[in-house]
Amino acid sequence: MKLSYHHLIIPMKSPFITSFGSSSNKDVLVFQANEGNITAFSESVTNENPFYGPEDNYTALYMIKSYLADKIRDLPLPEEFNERARQIKGNNMAKAAMEMLLYDFHAKKEGASLVKYFKKEIRGYANAGVSLGIDDPNITLKKIDDAIQRGYKRLKVKIKKGYDLELLSKIRDTFPEIPLSVDANSDYTKNDFQTIKSMDRYELEYIEQPLYHDDLYYHAQLAKLIETPLCLDESITSPELAQNAIDMGACSIINIKPGRVGGLDSSLKIAEIARNNNAHCWVGGMLETGIGRAFNISLASLNQVDFPGDTSPNDRYFEHDIVNKTFSMENGTIKPMDGPGIGVKIDPGTVKKFTVGEGVIFE
Ligand code: OSB
Ligand code: MG
C-alpha cells in the first residue's frame, strides 16, 4: 500500500469570516491510498491555524507521520483502526483523515457507495442549509435573499460579540419567517448570558456553540435560562461527550463534523445517540474540497441525520475544485455520488496547480 498526500492552497471565491478569523484560501491536506487497482482519498479538515479547534495542518501531518499512518499500513477496517488509535489522545482531525481513507478504501473494495457501505437507513439525499460568514449586514441580507432563491432549507449566520442583536433584528425585519440559526464559534462567555437571552425574540431554530469550545457546564446553565435550543459544534468531540452533553442539558442538537469527532464511526454513533435521546443532528462543514464534501454529503444522506446541514455544492466556495465531479443542488437537496466509495477522485491537473507540498509517507 502506498500512502501519499498533497498540501494544497486553493483560492476561495470570497473570504469566509467567522468570530475567530478570516480565510480567503483553503489551506488543506489531501491523502491518497493506493493498493492494487483501488485509489482511496480523504481530506484533513485542519487548516493553517488552530483557531477553530486545537489542531492545524502541521500537527495533523506530524501525528499522521509519527503515529497514525503505521496503523493503516495493513488497511484494517475502520473500526479496527479506531481501536488501535484509541491510545492516542485527541488529534481527532488527524485520526479522521486516516479513518475516512479506510472507509473510502473498504467501500470501494466492496464495490459499494459510501452511503451503502454505512449499512444504515438511507434517505438518499442531504438537506442543504447555508452558513453565511460575517459581513456588512446589508450584504448579509442580500446573501440571505440569494440563498432563499437558490432553495436552501435553513439559513445560518455567523455572529460574534457586538455583531449580533442588530444584525438579527435587521434580518427578522426583512425575513420574518425564514428558518434561521446563528453560530458564534465560541465567542461568548458567561458574562454574555443576557445578550444571548435577548436572542430568544428572533425565533431562531437554535444557537450554535455560543460558549467556549471545551465547555459543557456553562452551556447547560445557559440552556436553562433561554428558550432557544442550543446546538453544539466545537464542544462535541466524541460519542461519549455527545451523550454527556445531552444528559446534562447542554444541547439538544449536534452539528456532526466527521473530522472533529475523529471520523465516520464516531459520527454514526453520535447520530444514533441523538436519535435515541430525542435530540437532533445535522452534518456541518469546514469549507471542504470536493473530497471532504463527498464524505459529508454521504453522511448527511442517512435518515438519522434529521436537520438540514451546512452542505453546499462545490461552486459556492471554489471556482476550480480539485475533483473530477461536483455536486449540484435541487430543491434544497444534494444527492451523494453513486460510488464506488465517495464517488469522486482528484483531478491531477487541478491538484498540480494548487500544490504547495507533497510527499509519500510510505510505499
Ligand atoms: O463553525 O461550522 C463552523 C467553517 C469553518 C470553521 C467552522 C465552521 C465553518 C462553517 C462553514 O460554518 C460551513 C461550510 O462548510 O459551508
Ligand atoms: Mg459551527
Side-chain angles (χ1 to χ4, degrees):
M1 199 268 271
K2 177 180 173 183
L3 175 65
S4 57
Y5 69 92
H6 284 92
H7 179 193
L8 307 153
I9 297 185
I10 311 167
M12 303 215 314
K13 278 187 172 172
S14 54
F16 190 82
I17 302 174
T18 61
S19 62
F20 59 80
S22 168
S23 27
S24 34
N25 293 303
K26 176 70 187 168
D27 188 326
V28 64
L29 296 170
V30 173
F31 294 89
Q32 184 171 333
N34 290 81
E35 166 74 12
N37 55 5
I38 299 177
T39 305
F41 299 97
S42 71
E43 160 174 354
S44 173
V45 296
T46 45
N47 59 27
E48 69 276 26
N49 61 50
F51 299 164
Y52 163 80
E55 302 169 78
D56 73 14
N57 283 338
Y58 294 90
T59 67
L61 192 56
Y62 169 78
M63 289 305 294
I64 287 168
K65 284 182 174 171
S66 311
Y67 301 100
L68 298 168
D70 199 46
K71 301 186 189 299
I72 69 162
R73 209 183 269 270
D74 57 342
L75 292 162
L77 288 169
E79 294 77 8
E80 166 65 20
F81 165 75
N82 287 329
E83 213 29 61
R84 294 178 190 174
R86 259 174 72 85
Q87 68 178 147
I88 297 161
K89 307 302 181 292
N91 296 284
N92 281 357
M93 292 177 177
K95 287 176 181 169
M98 295 298 100
E99 193 237 34
M100 291 161 84
L101 196 58
L102 293 171
Y103 260 99
D104 188 35
F105 175 81
H106 285 286
K108 282 171 173 161
K109 201 173 150 194
E110 280 191 11
S113 69
L114 181 61
V115 190
K116 286 223 176 85
Y117 184 76
F118 287 145
K119 297 175 183 72
K120 301 276 175 188
E121 275 174 49
I122 299 172
R123 177 177 46 245
Y125 56 86
N127 284 310
V130 74
S131 169
L132 300 173
I134 291 175
D135 218 322
D136 178 279
N138 291 321
I139 295 179
T140 300
L141 288 179
K142 279 208 194 80
K143 287 188 172 170
I144 291 175
D145 193 41
D146 181 60
I148 297 166
Q149 304 304 325
R150 283 170 198 260
Y152 283 105
K153 294 190 172 177
R154 183 269 283 139
L155 293 291
K156 157 173 144 184
V157 293
K158 294 285 187 182
I159 56 167
K160 63 176 180 179
K161 255 189 257 179
Y163 180 83
D164 40 30
L165 302 180
E166 219 180 297
L167 171 73
L168 289 175
S169 121
K170 276 194 173 162
I171 295 174
R172 275 305 185 211
D173 282 350
T174 320
F175 306 102
E177 303 284 349
I178 55 168
L180 181 67
S181 66
V182 295
D183 185 0
N185 285 110
S186 71
D187 201 44
Y188 297 90
T189 69
K190 70 179 197 302
N191 301 325
D192 303 307
F193 277 17
Q194 284 313 315
T195 305
I196 300 170
K197 177 147 186 61
S198 45
M199 292 180 198
D200 275 344
R201 77 174 76 115
Y202 301 111
E203 294 185 55
L204 303 170
E205 308 278 300
Y206 48 83
I207 299 173
E208 182 174 339
Q209 196 69 42
L211 309 175
Y212 208 55
H213 77 283
D214 60 359
D215 169 78
L216 290 182
Y217 179 76
Y218 284 131
H219 279 108
Q221 298 297 305
L222 175 62
K224 280 187 221 150
L225 189 75
I226 66 177
E227 310 281 315
T228 312
L230 285 184
C231 170
L232 289 178
D233 173 348
E234 283 89 329
S235 295
I236 306 299
T237 51
S238 67
E240 292 75 17
L241 272 180
Q243 186 72 59
N244 290 353
I246 294 171
D247 286 351
M248 67 199 271
C251 70
S252 54
I253 303 163
I254 295 172
N255 168 349
I256 302 177
K257 291 179 181 168
R260 191 196 66 231
V261 303
L264 290 166
D265 195 46
S266 283
S267 300
L268 296 170
K269 287 185 174 133
I270 292 172
E272 188 79 30
I273 288 168
R275 176 159 77 179
N276 292 341
N277 290 271
N278 259 328
H280 304 277
C281 70
W282 50 276
V283 176
M286 292 289 285
L287 313 171
E288 284 91 345
T289 75
I291 298 294
R293 195 165 299 280
F295 283 97
N296 288 346
I297 289 171
S298 300
L299 182 64
S301 308
L302 298 178
N303 249 340
Q304 290 188 348
V305 176
D306 60 344
F307 275 17
D310 287 344
T311 33
S312 289
N314 317 58
D315 64 2
R316 172 170 142 71
Y317 308 92
F318 307 108
E319 207 79 62
H320 304 285
D321 203 335
I322 55 166
V323 282
N324 64 329
K325 283 191 273 173
T326 55
F327 292 100
S328 51
M329 182 162 80
E330 249 173 75
N331 303 318
T333 67
I334 305 178
K335 283 203 176 80
M337 301 289 174
D338 292 331
I342 55 172
V344 299
K345 52 186 179 189
I346 57 169
D347 171 60
T350 318
V351 164
K352 200 166 177 204
K353 205 159 84 187
F354 300 129
T355 294
V356 295
E358 60 188 299
V360 175
I361 298 177
F362 57 72
E363 205 151 359

